[in-house]
Structure formats: structure tokens, C-alpha cells
């Protein structure tokens, strides 16, 4: 067994020592967070076959990894919120008794790092020293996790220094769950092969994260979903702030007025695209602060101030192109780790809908050869000469649908450097938020943009968010619409009803509720009967953002409807409506109307989702009152009001 290294902070020592004794690694490395160390780990992974070094002229500092076929996305079915009482995890989470879960997992961890190195990653969620920032220690046996955490968070000595002798941190343990016998050769992607052997476990009261068996994304990079959303949402509720699945952007008008907007869309619904969008509207500038997570704290002036706790982008690769998101592609030009994309013969990467012709031959995400399609140079198939129709019918993709790039935020050409460092007007407060958007992929019913009539109505809108399920999660429901309140369904660290109540409390406890952000619901994904998109999306979304700013300034009116305040079509700026995709004015009018029949159904399903939450609460709530842990009355009231108005 390795010796536990010394740490000035006794709690850090105790955490590392506990897992060293149980997991019995061969060696322990405390991550310093230097470039040199990062490169050395990447090179070691190249040597042992776990990374492919990409062409360093084309992509300096970039590497490719291929995961095991069982380990390609978040595993929601194996994600647990282990609060002491089942009712506190609520109806949307898998729950297990924390004592039982710890006992079960401790058996798994016993000897699980044999033959491996245990890495200790000190990391910060947020700029080191910012008052909103929190710290973590992730113990892991995965060098892939180390180098990804180096990109996605601020790691190393600076964090240890910040923690000092008694600084607090969120303790995290992660193992791929694949010990090595003496002399046994490692595989390229070690993990527990069976889904039932994977555990992504949060203990919200202990504020601990235990992960076992998976090496992929949010299952293993524990700062991201496990800490910055699940554990942080519970901390936020207890302490009066918010941890949300939101991008943060800075928008500057032609008059040089700045607005900060956050947006909560479910996984793989275009947060990264909106966060880095090139506005089609002339004179408007958009800069990125974050593309996935926002922590918001109320200021003394009543405004909500936001930071991005992350340090990089873990973006979905397929569909990212110079057309759809040039700034994301440019962010991947160096220092990036690609997972499950295609390797080209010149040592570069490729994926579906990259807007770049496929090479004649390549290596697909499973490590098998793939070939350019016979009648579409932008597709690849598993055999030479296959047609587009044949490839489509076979369901084959050369890059996995949830293949990812892990890119440093500092590479982003439109990064708002101050905002990213949590600085506003020279102070480390985070940026004041002017508008919050909710959204999802909704082919019907939901209009292009809809303004909430009040904070409570906005909370109702967020609670009713829904979207088609995407490949970001292993699921048999991909493509079906599911309710995803505030885009947080997989990420609530506690009971969803309490979470809704917490959103309502943010208004009640605000120093000045009139200063809270205005709330909007957007939908870029409406389709007509022929299945065509009715809104071009991407840079044209700047037209919607401009309307939002005009509403904030009181410059434009609206159509007051049963479902909220919709734009008058004439108030959507259609200047510069040229290029490959343009706004169709007939469609625009259509997607700014209330589809009454569609909404009556929508309202029914929102009500059904509330009923389902409450019914599940009743089942597990012998010890709590009939009103606690129920969808708040205020939201039921909005539902009733909208229903009554629609019926008029
Ligand atoms: C992500 C996700 O990876 O939401 O950001 O799944
Ligand atoms: Mn996400």
C-alpha cells in the first residue's frame, strides 16, 4: 500500500487516508495543476494506449480518447440522492438509505485501485478566492479524469493553498472500478462493464460524492453535475442562493449597454451554441461567461449575481460546425480532449454535421474503420461505398451522438474575461443577471418566446419546461418529450417541490424583488407539418435576445395572452435577414401565436406532472404533513389561472 501524503489541512488528510486504506492503490499522486504535469499525464496515456495524440501541428496539445461501449453518457438510472429521508430526495430522484448505500459501496471500493495510481485532485468551482466559489477534493484512479478536471475546473496547488489548515471542501471519491492484478495489462477504457455496477451517489446532508464504475463525463468529473448542481443545489437551498443548469452570456447593444442573460435548457439542447452565438443583428456583441452551470447569489440591491463555476466546456461534438458554432470549434483548436469522435488519417478529428467533408477513411468511435459515404461527402459509413440511405437505415454514426470535446474556456474567442473571472465593475461579485430564459426542444405548441407576467409565473414556466430526450443520457426514451423542470430533472439534489418553493422564496426574501431578472420561455425548435424547422435558430436568436432587452428597457409592447406576454411580430427586428438560413415571416407570425388546442393539452400534461410528483410524495411521506413536499399552491394557482384564461 502507498503512504498517505502529508497535507496541512487535517480534513484533506483524513479523506485521502481513508480511501488509500480502503482502495489500496499502488501509488498516490497529488495533482499540482501545472501544464508540465498535465502534458506528462497525457503522454503517459498515449504510451499505454489510452489516448491517441492528435496531429500537433493541426491541434497542439490535443488528444483523443475512446470510451467503452457501456460508458458513453450519464447514467440516470444509477444516480442516487441518498438523503436520510426518502421524502427529501423527492419523486424525481433514485433514493437509497445513506447507511445502506455506504455499506454497499464500501464493499465495491475495497481494493478497487490495486495496480493503479490514486490521484488527489484539489479543485475550485469558480475563480479561486471569489466569495461565491466553493472547493473540492476528488480522489480518483483515472488519469483521464485528472486531465479533464484540469480543463473543466481550476486544479492544484493554488487550491491547497486557498484551503489552508482548515478550509472547507466537498469531498469526492471516484473509481473506475477495475483493479489490476500483478502484471495484468490495462485496457484502453477501464470501467465496470455492467450498468448495475455503476454508482453516481450524492449524500446531500454529509455533502459527499461517491462515484464508482464509470469514467465518462458527468459520472466521473465530479465537480460538474454531482457537485456544481446536485450538492450545490442543496447547499444553495440551505443558504439562500441558487445552483442552476444555465449558461451565462453578456450582450452589448449598439448603444453599448450591457445585459447579462442566463438560460436553462436541457442537456444537448443548444446551451453551448447560444452561449457563444454570433449575432445576426448588426451592432450587437455577445460574449460568453459559461455554457452549462450558473451559481446565482442575491445581492444587497436585490439583483441576482452569477458566476460560472467551471473553467472549460464539455460540449457535444456532433452538430458543432463553423456554421452552427464557430466559437466552439475555435475553442477546440488546442489543449482539448476529444472523446468518441472520428480519427482522420492526418491525425485530426471529425464528426457528423461538422460542416467539413469526411475523409476517405477514418477510425470511428469504436476504433473500427469507417468510410466516406458514396453519395454524401459529409457522412461516413461502416463499409466502403455505402449510400446515405443505407447508412441512415443501419443507424450507424461514426462519432458517438454524445461524443464530446473538453476545451479550455480561455480558448474561446468571445470569452467575457471579467465576467468569467466573476468580476463586475472591478468587484468580485459575479455579474448581475437581467434575464433568465428557460427552453427545450419542442416541435409543437410552445411559441418562439414568451415573457412571464411575474416572478411566480416565471417559476411556473420553468417548472413546466419539457424537451425531447437527447443522447446526453443513456435512455430508451430518446426523442420523446419529457418534463424537465428548469432543465434540472437529472440534477436536483433534493425534493423537486422544495426546489420550486425555493425559487418562489427568492422573490419573497429579495432585498428588492423589482430588481430580480425578468423570466422568458424560448423555443428555437418549432416544426411545421412537413417537419421543417420554422425558425432558423443560431445567430438569428439574437433577434429574440434583442426583443428581451427591448422589453427590459420598456421600449416595446407585447401581446398580453393567457400563457404570457408574446412579442408583436413587428417588434422582432428582421434587419440583415440574409444568408443561408433566413427568417420566414409567415412562420414567424405562426410561432408567435397561442395555439389554443395545443395549450389545452399542454396544461393538462403540466397538471399531470404536478399530480405525479404529489402522488409519489404521498406514498413516501408517512412522517410529514399533507402540505409539505407538495407542488407549491402558488404554482397550482398559476396553472388554474392559465387554464381559466385559455377557456375564455
Ligand atoms: C452535460 C449534460 O454534459 O447536461 O452538460 O449532460
Ligand atoms: Mn449540462
Amino acid at each position: 500500500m502507498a503512504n498517505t501524503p502529508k497535507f496541512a489541512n487535517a480534513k484533506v488528510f483524513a479523506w485521502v487516508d481513508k480511501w488509500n486504506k480502503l482502495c489500496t492503490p499502488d501509488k498516490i499522486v497529488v495533482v499540482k495543476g501545472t501544464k508540465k504535469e498535465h502534458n506528462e499525464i497525457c503522454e503517459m496515456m498515449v504510451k499505454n494506449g489510452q489516448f491517441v495524440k492528435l496531429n500537433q501541428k493541426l491541434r497542439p496539445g490535443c488528444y483523443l480518447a475512446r470510451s467503452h461501449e457501456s460508458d458513453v453518457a450519464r447514467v440516470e438510472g444509477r444516480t442516487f440522492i441518498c438523503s436520510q429521508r426518502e421524502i427529501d430526495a423527492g419523486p424525481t430522484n433514485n433514493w437509497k438509505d445513506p447507511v445502506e448505500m455506504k455499506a454497499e459501496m464500501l464493499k465495491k471500493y475495497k481494493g478497487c485501485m490495486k495496480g493503479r495510481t490514486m490521484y488527489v485532485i484539489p479543485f475550485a468551482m469558480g475563480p479561486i478566492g471569489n466569495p461565491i466559489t466553493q472547493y473540492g477534493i476528488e480522489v480518483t484512479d483515472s488519469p483521464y479524469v485528472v486531465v479533464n478536471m484540469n480543463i473543466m475546473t481550476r486544479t492544484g496547488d493554488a487550491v491547497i493553498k486557498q484551503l489552508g489548515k482548515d478550509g472547507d471542501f466537498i469531498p469526492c471519491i471516484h473509481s473506475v472500478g477495475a483493479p489490476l492484478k500483478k502484471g495484468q495489462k490495462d485496457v484502453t477504457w477501464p470501467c465496470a462493464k455492467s450498468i448495475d455496477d455503476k454508482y453516481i451517489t450524492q449524500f446531500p446532508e454529509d455533502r459527499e460524492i461517491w462515484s464508482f464504475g464509470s469514467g465518462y463525463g458527468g459520472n466521473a468529473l465530479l465537480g460538474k453535475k454531482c457537485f456544481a448542481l446536485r450538492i450545490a443545489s442543496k447547499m444553495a437551498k440551505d443558504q439562500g442562493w441558487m445552483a442552476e443548469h444555465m449558461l451565462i452570456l453578456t450582450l452589448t447593444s449598439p448603444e453599448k449597454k450591457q445585459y447579462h442573460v442566463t438560460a436553462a435548457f436541457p442537456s444537448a439542447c443548444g446551451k453551448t451554441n447560444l452561449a457563444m452565438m454570433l449575432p445576426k443583428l448588426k451592432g450587437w456583441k455577445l460574449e460568453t461567461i459559461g455554457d452549462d452551470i450558473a451559481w446565482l447569489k442575491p445581492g444587497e440591491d436585490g439583483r441576482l449575481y452569477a458566476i460560472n463555476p467551471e473553467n472549460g466546456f464539455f460540449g457535444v461534438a456532433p452538430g458543432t460546425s463553423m456554421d452552427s458554432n464557430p466559437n466552439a470549434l475555435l475553442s477546440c483548436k488546442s489543449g482539448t480532449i476529444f472523446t468518441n469522435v472520428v480519427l482522420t488519417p492526418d491525425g485530426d478529428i471529425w464528426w457528423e454535421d461538422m460542416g467539413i467533408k469526411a475523409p476517405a477513411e477514418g477510425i470511428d468511435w469504436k476504433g473500427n474503420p469507417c468510410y466516406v459515404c458514396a453519395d454524401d461527402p459529409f457522412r461516413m459509413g461502416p463499409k466502403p461505398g455505402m449510400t446515405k440511405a443505407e447508412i441512415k437505415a443501419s443507424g450507424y454514426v461514426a462519432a458517438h451522438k454524445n461524443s464530446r470535446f473538453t476545451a479550455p474556456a480561455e480558448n474561446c474567442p468571445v470569452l467575457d474575461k471579467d465576467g468569467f473571472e466573476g468580476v463586475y465593475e472591478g468587484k468580485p461579485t459575479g455579474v448581475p443577471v437581467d434575464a433568465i430564459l428557460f427552453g427545450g426542444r419542442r416541435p409543437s405548441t410552445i411559441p418562439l418566446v414568451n415573457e412571464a407576467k411575474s416572478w411566480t409565473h416565471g417559476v411556473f414556466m420553468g417548472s413546466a419546461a419539457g424537451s425531447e430526450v437527447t443522447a446526453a443520457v443513456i435512455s430508451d426514451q430518446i426523442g420523446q418529450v419529457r418534463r424537465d423542470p428548469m432543465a434540472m430533472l437529472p440534477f436536483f439534489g433534493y425534493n423537486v417541490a422544495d426546489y420550486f418553493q425555493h425559487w418562489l422564496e427568492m422573490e419573497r426574501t429579495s432585498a428588492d424583488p423589482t430588481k430580480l431578472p425578468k423570466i422568458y420561455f424560448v423555443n428555437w425548435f418549432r416544426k411545421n407539418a412537413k417537419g421543417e424547422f420554422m425558425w432558423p435558430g443560431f445567430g438569428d436568436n439574437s433577434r429574440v435576445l434583442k426583443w428581451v432587452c427591448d422589453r427590459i428597457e420598456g421600449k416595446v409592447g407585447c401581446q398580453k395572452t393567457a400563457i404570457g406576454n408574446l412579442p408583436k411580430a413587428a417588434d422582432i427586428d428582421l434587419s440583415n435577414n440574409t444568408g443561408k438560413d433566413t427568417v420566414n415571416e409567415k412562420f414567424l407570425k405562426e410561432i408567435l401565436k397561442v395555439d389554443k388546442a395545443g395549450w389545452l393539452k399542454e396544461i393538462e400534461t403540466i397538471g399531470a406532472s404536478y399530480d405525479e410528483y404529489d402522488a409519489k410524495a404521498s406514498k413516501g411521506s408517512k412522517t410529514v404533513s399533507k402540505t409539505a413536499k407538495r407542488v407549491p399552491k402558488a404554482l397550482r394557482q398559476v396553472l388554474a389561472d392559465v387554464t381559466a384564461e385559455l377557456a375564455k
Side-chain angles (χ1 to χ4, degrees):
M1 201 185 77
N3 286 328
T4 304
K6 293 202 165 32
F7 293 94
N9 186 311
K11 288 175 280 187
V12 177
F13 178 84
W15 185 249
V16 177
D17 192 50
K18 163 178 169 155
W19 295 105
N20 179 26
K21 287 187 176 129
L22 190 69
C23 305
T24 58
D26 283 7
K27 211 173 127 187
I28 301 181
V29 169
V30 182
V31 172
K32 292 191 185 67
T34 62
K35 282 232 153 59
K36 183 169 170 281
E37 175 195 64
H38 178 89
N39 295 341
E40 280 167 7
I41 297 176
C42 291
E43 287 303 315
M44 175 205 74
M45 292 182 72
V46 172
K47 252 203 202 132
N48 67 20
Q50 294 177 327
F51 265 180
V52 175
K53 188 170 187 168
L54 295 175
N55 182 325
Q56 296 297 293
K57 282 210 184 89
L58 300 174
R59 297 210 183 256
C62 292
Y63 298 86
L64 164 69
R66 295 189 194 103
S67 77
H68 187 265
E69 283 179 43
S70 73
D71 210 26
V72 290
R74 286 184 290 99
V75 280
E76 290 179 9
R78 299 295 304 165
T79 300
F80 302 91
I81 298 294
C82 296
S83 43
Q84 269 150 31
R85 302 186 313 169
E86 181 171 6
I87 192 79
D88 292 325
T92 60
N93 283 311
N94 301 315
W95 176 85
K96 261 202 180 169
D97 176 83
V99 175
E100 280 171 28
M101 181 57 111
K102 284 193 175 171
E104 182 174 334
M105 288 186 77
L106 284 172
K107 283 191 212 138
K108 300 270 168 193
Y109 284 116
K110 194 154 192 268
C112 70
M113 295 190 187
K114 273 208 175 85
R116 298 195 178 276
T117 298
M118 172 191 270
Y119 296 91
V120 180
I121 314 172
F123 65 96
M125 296 313 293
I128 294 174
N130 186 289
I132 307 181
T133 296
Q134 304 277 343
Y135 303 91
I137 299 284
E138 177 166 352
V139 170
T140 178
D141 54 7
S142 163
Y144 174 88
V145 164
V146 174
V147 289
N148 276 270
M149 284 290 283
N150 279 341
I151 299 171
M152 291 307 298
T153 71
R154 288 124 168 129
T155 54
D157 288 348
V159 176
I160 289 285
K161 199 163 155 216
Q162 177 74 23
L163 286 179
K165 281 206 169 114
D166 54 8
D168 282 330
F169 60 93
I170 299 299
C172 313
I173 171 72
H174 168 254
S175 171
V176 292
L180 290 169
K181 294 201 184 80
K182 238 198 167 93
Q184 185 185 343
K185 196 174 163 351
D186 205 357
V187 292
T188 50
W189 186 275
C191 67
K193 305 290 176 288
S194 155
I195 291 266
D196 291 343
D197 267 340
K198 300 184 202 272
Y199 295 77
I200 319 301
T201 308
Q202 286 71 202
F203 299 96
E205 286 116 357
D206 297 345
R207 308 247 201 273
E208 283 182 15
I209 299 162
W210 294 24
S211 168
F212 184 90
S214 167
Y216 204 86
N219 300 333
L221 313 178
L222 302 185
K224 196 172 179 60
K225 305 300 183 181
C226 302
F227 180 172
L229 290 177
R230 298 195 190 101
I231 292 293
S233 63
K234 169 76 167 112
M235 294 168 77
K237 175 185 172 281
D238 294 347
Q239 298 163 3
W241 50 283
M242 304 169 94
E244 301 298 330
H245 193 204
M246 290 176 175
L247 66 87
I248 314 171
L249 61 84
T250 306
L251 197 62
T252 309
S253 73
E255 296 78 34
K256 304 280 173 276
K257 176 132 197 224
Q258 264 196 1
Y259 302 88
H260 295 105
V261 178
T262 65
F265 307 156
S267 307
C269 286
K271 280 200 300 300
T272 308
N273 290 345
L274 184 65
M276 301 177 190
M277 177 255 279
L278 287 180
K280 208 66 176 284
L281 286 181
K282 292 254 171 346
W284 286 80
K285 186 165 106 183
L286 186 146
E287 292 164 292
T288 314
I289 296 181
D291 78 329
D292 196 42
I293 297 173
W295 284 354
L296 302 101
K297 285 208 169 159
E300 281 166 14
D301 57 0
R303 303 183 83 178
L304 291 180
Y305 288 82
I307 65 158
N308 169 14
E310 299 193 280
N311 196 36
F313 310 119
F314 184 62
V316 177
T320 305
S321 70
M322 283 311 272
D323 249 0
S324 68
N325 192 344
N327 289 319
L329 265 197
L330 294 169
S331 302
C332 298
K333 69 182 188 321
S334 62
T336 296
I337 296 163
F338 298 91
T339 308
N340 289 345
V341 302
V342 171
L343 176 66
T344 69
D346 58 352
D348 203 357
I349 42 82
W350 182 90
W351 51 72
E352 276 82 6
D353 298 316
M354 194 183 190
I356 291 178
K357 284 192 181 158
E361 265 187 65
I363 310 283
D364 71 9
W365 75 273
K366 291 186 183 172
N368 298 321
C370 53
Y371 306 88
V372 66
C373 164
D375 54 356
D376 182 350
F378 294 94
R379 289 267 161 278
M380 297 194 89
K383 289 194 202 120
M386 281 176 83
T387 63
K388 193 173 166 181
E390 284 168 344
I391 295 168
K392 195 166 173 213
S394 73
Y396 176 85
V397 282
H400 188 275
K401 284 203 173 127
N402 192 40
S403 55
R404 299 280 182 149
F405 52 81
T406 316
E410 65 181 15
N411 282 359
C412 179
V414 294
L415 191 72
D416 172 349
K417 293 201 174 70
D418 271 0
F420 181 69
E421 287 308 323
V423 171
Y424 179 69
E425 292 184 338
K427 294 192 206 88
T429 55
V431 297
V433 179
D434 299 291
I436 294 175
L437 315 184
F438 293 114
R441 286 176 191 269
R442 295 300 305 270
S444 67
T445 313
I446 310 300
L448 175 65
V449 53
N450 182 11
E451 181 187 77
K453 300 176 199 179
S454 63
W455 180 262
T456 303
H457 183 226
V459 177
F460 165 79
M461 281 178 165
S463 77
S467 190
E468 292 176 2
V469 178
T470 66
V473 52
I474 295 177
S475 168
D476 55 8
Q477 292 174 357
I478 290 175
Q480 293 175 30
V481 172
R482 73 168 177 184
R483 291 280 151 209
D484 190 348
M486 281 80 168
M488 282 285 284
L489 182 69
F491 309 124
F492 295 123
Y494 61 101
N495 189 306
V496 61
D498 289 343
Y499 171 88
F500 292 159
Q501 186 60 40
H502 182 55
W503 265 81
L504 296 171
E505 291 295 312
M506 294 311 290
E507 184 187 36
R508 204 183 54 76
T509 55
S510 171
D512 181 353
T514 64
K515 299 267 175 53
L516 286 172
K518 275 168 123 31
I519 302 180
Y520 297 81
F521 202 101
V522 298
N523 179 24
W524 322 134
F525 299 94
R526 271 289 280 276
K527 286 184 178 166
N528 63 13
K530 287 194 206 146
E532 297 160 336
F533 282 111
M534 298 174 82
W535 176 254
F538 304 108
D540 285 280
N541 294 338
S542 57
R543 305 182 193 286
V544 172
L545 293 185
K546 181 185 176 207
W547 183 77
V548 165
C549 295
D550 285 347
R551 287 293 294 160
I552 291 169
E553 297 299 342
K555 281 190 188 162
V556 291
C558 64
Q559 319 174 50
K560 289 200 183 299
T561 77
I563 61 165
N565 301 332
L566 303 186
K568 297 175 188 160
D571 287 334
I572 299 288
D573 187 339
L574 290 186
S575 58
N576 197 30
N577 192 21
T578 56
K580 203 162 94 2
D581 298 309
T582 53
V583 176
N584 175 320
E585 291 189 43
K586 225 173 78 204
F587 287 169
L588 177 63
K589 288 209 179 93
E590 203 52 40
I591 59 181
L592 292 179
K593 276 193 196 141
V594 181
D595 164 4
K596 196 166 162 179
W599 267 96
L600 285 169
K601 273 199 217 125
E602 180 73 11
I603 282 294
E604 241 176 63
T605 64
I606 296 168
S609 72
Y610 285 0
D611 291 347
E612 202 183 310
Y613 300 148
D614 283 357
K616 284 192 185 159
S618 302
K619 252 175 54 196
S621 72
K622 282 183 216 91
T623 55
V624 291
S625 82
K626 286 248 176 326
T627 49
K629 317 288 176 188
R630 301 294 195 276
V631 172
K633 278 208 180 92
L635 298 189
R636 291 269 186 194
Q637 188 57 52
V638 178
L639 186 72
D641 292 347
V642 175
T643 314
E645 273 201 60
L646 275 170
K648 270 187 201 157

